[in-house]
Each structure stands twice: as C-alpha cells, then as structure tokens.
Amino acid sequence: MEKMPYRQELDTHVFQEPIAPIVSTDWQDGLPVLSGKMVTLRELRPSDAQSLFALLTTEEVSRFISPPPSTVEGFESFIAWTLRQRTAGKYVCFAVTLKRFDTAIGIFQLREAEPGFGTAEWGFAIGSAFWGTGVFQEGAELVLAFAFETLDVHRLEARAAVLNGRGNGALLKVGAVQEAMLRRSFRCNGEYLDQVLYVIIEDDWTASREVCRQIRAYVH
Ligand SMILES: CC(C)(COP(=O)(O)OP(=O)(O)OC[C@H]1O[C@@H](n2cnc3c(N)ncnc32)[C@H](O)[C@@H]1OP(=O)(O)O)[C@@H](O)C(=O)NCCC(=O)NCCS
C-alpha cells in the first residue's frame, strides 16, 4: 500500500454509526502481540508518535509513499485514527518493534478492500536503519499469518511504484505475484508514477507454508 488511508485533514473525530451491524471479534477489541525470533508486532500507542515521526518521515522512507504526517502531533492523530478504524473492523496497523525493545521502528497496515476483509490491501514502512536486516521479512511473515488465519483474507493486494526497488524486492521475496501494471496511478511529488499490483492468494500462501514446513523437517 503506497498510500496510508489515513488523511489528517479528513480526520473529523465524528463517530459514524456503521451501516451494517459489526460482529465483534477479539482483534477488534485489541490487536494480539505477534512474536517472532527478532521482531515483535503490537498495537500502536500514542507514545509511538515520536519514534515513528523520526523514522518514517525521512526522504528515503517517504519517497515512494503518500506523505506521512508531518509532525509528532500528526502521528498522534494517525495512531488514534488507527485504533478507531480497528474497533470498526476496517483496518489494522501493527507497530514493528525489536525483541526486548519497545520502540516502534515501523508499521504494517492492513485495510479491507471489501467489507469483511475477503480482499484486503497491505502496506509497510520501516526506518531505513533497519532495512536489509531481516526485520521486514519476519514482520511480513507474522502479518501474513494474521491476515490469512485471523482476518480470513483470501486475496491480499499491494501496490508498489515501479521506481521503488526495495518495495518491489520486498514483496517478491514474500511470495507476492505481479498481476498488473497500474499506469500513472500514483501521484507522487506532482507527477503520476506507474505502480505494480502485487497479489498473494490464500491458497498460494498455504501451499508455500507447507513447502517451508517440509523443507525444515527434512533439514532437521
Ligand atoms: C519496503 C521496506 C519495508 C522493505 O524493507 P527492507 O528491509 O528494505 O526489505 P529487505 O531488505 O528485506 O528486502 C528488499 C529486497 O529488495 C532487494 N532490492 C533492493 N534494491 C532493489 C532494487 N533497486 N531493485 C530490486 N530489488 C531491490 C533487496 O536486495 C532485498 O532482497 P534480498 O533480501 O533478497 O537481497 C523498506 O524498504 C521501506 O520501509 N521502504 C520505504 C517505505 C516503502 O516504500 N513502503 C512501500 C513498499 S511497497
């Protein structure tokens, strides 16, 4: 997801009654903590605003995503919005932290593209000091398991600007398949860029997990 669906200027704090009744599930009440060997994903907190502002507003991180909030207060509003959207069952955002450190160094977002999360879109941004360290890969694996097993996503989409080499490389290495070229679909710094539409289908993810499981069993 190149674009954070959050827009500060549209954040009116007005609570809207849902059109369809919301079926409450555990994740709508609060996100689980997802733990890997190196990375822990957890719910965002207001206190994450400072580190996310410092790490996600740099030129290299924000170059190919829609502009993140431009102040710490803007990130505080964004975090409050993520919690409201999660309660409404439309969107979730995990903070990325390193094991034994509580500082948020990035985010993974999941947004429903149809009611009920059958089709969803995901996006991610991590502070550049942590690029190429395995943080993305492990975080992505945790988020994919959450998407397919807990949210019951069956089709997970992502968009990456063609010029975003790391974004494309990251998606390919977690098994996303290039499905289409979205020509001139992303407005970035006053020009329209081409994006690639990447998709992971639940069946493909399940099959690749089984292959990994069998390889691990064979190696050990
Ligand atoms: C996207 C992001 C989270 C990925 O995290 P990361 O730590 O950089 O990802 P990784 O290093 O694990 O994977 C990137 C892969 O792309 C490869 N890559 C790097 N530059 C590349 C390029 N120009 N062209 C193709 N592949 C490239 C890397 O070699 C790596 O693959 P490898 O591990 O097999 O060598 C991070 O780069 C980021 O936050 N970017 C800014 C935000 C952003 O653009 N988000 C939207 C993405 S669609």
Side-chain angles (χ1 to χ4, degrees):
M1 187 180 342
E2 294 292 340
K3 296 183 182 181
M4 288 189 186
Y6 175 74
R7 289 286 175 280
Q8 201 169 352
E9 65 276 16
L10 300 179
D11 185 6
T12 56
H13 294 257
V14 176
F15 178 76
Q16 293 181 323
E17 284 293 329
I19 295 164
I22 289 172
V23 180
S24 182
T25 64
D26 286 345
W27 65 265
Q28 284 179 240
D29 298 334
L31 293 182
V33 173
L34 309 179
S35 269
K37 290 194 178 103
M38 174 184 8
V39 168
T40 300
L41 305 184
R42 60 157 172 80
E43 186 112 73
L44 283 166
R45 301 182 194 126
S47 56
D48 295 325
Q50 189 80 49
S51 64
L52 292 180
F53 168 72
L55 293 169
L56 303 188
T57 58
T58 62
E59 199 278 330
E60 53 190 348
V61 172
S62 59
R63 197 164 158 205
F64 296 117
I65 57 177
S66 53
S70 57
T71 60
V72 173
E73 294 71 31
F75 269 93
E76 285 169 355
S77 300
F78 164 67
I79 290 165
W81 175 87
T82 69
L83 303 183
R84 294 197 300 277
Q85 290 288 302
R86 184 260 295 145
T87 303
K90 298 166 183 294
Y91 165 97
V92 300
C93 187
F94 284 99
V96 181
T97 67
L98 298 177
K99 282 252 149 165
R100 292 184 292 279
F101 295 93
D102 196 40
T103 306
I105 60 167
I107 56 171
F108 280 90
Q109 306 183 87
L110 288 157
R111 176 183 74 82
E112 66 174 15
E114 65 173 301
F117 269 104
T119 303
E121 187 176 8
W122 68 317
F124 31 77
I126 292 170
S128 56
F130 305 94
W131 292 1
T133 62
V135 165
F136 166 75
Q137 172 116 27
E138 195 178 274
E141 284 167 11
L142 293 168
V143 167
L144 291 173
F146 177 79
F148 291 118
E149 291 174 354
T150 301
L151 296 180
D152 283 334
V153 171
H154 87 96
R155 174 184 164 89
L156 186 60
E157 301 180 351
R159 288 163 171 72
V162 172
L163 295 175
N164 186 353
R166 294 202 83 88
N168 284 273
L171 283 159
L172 286 169
K173 76 188 234 188
V174 295
V177 173
Q178 294 188 352
E179 214 172 65
M181 177 69 73
L182 308 173
R183 294 184 303 155
R184 303 287 183 267
S185 56
F186 177 52
R187 190 168 164 83
C188 183
N189 295 324
E191 61 171 331
Y192 283 100
L193 302 181
D194 293 346
Q195 295 182 109
V196 180
L197 174 66
Y198 285 91
V199 177
I200 303 176
I201 299 291
E202 182 189 7
D203 292 348
D204 298 343
W205 177 78
T206 308
S208 74
R209 286 258 289 203
E210 179 57 21
V211 169
C212 290
R213 199 189 59 75
Q214 287 178 6
I215 291 171
R216 270 198 292 272
Y218 180 76
V219 168
H220 290 120

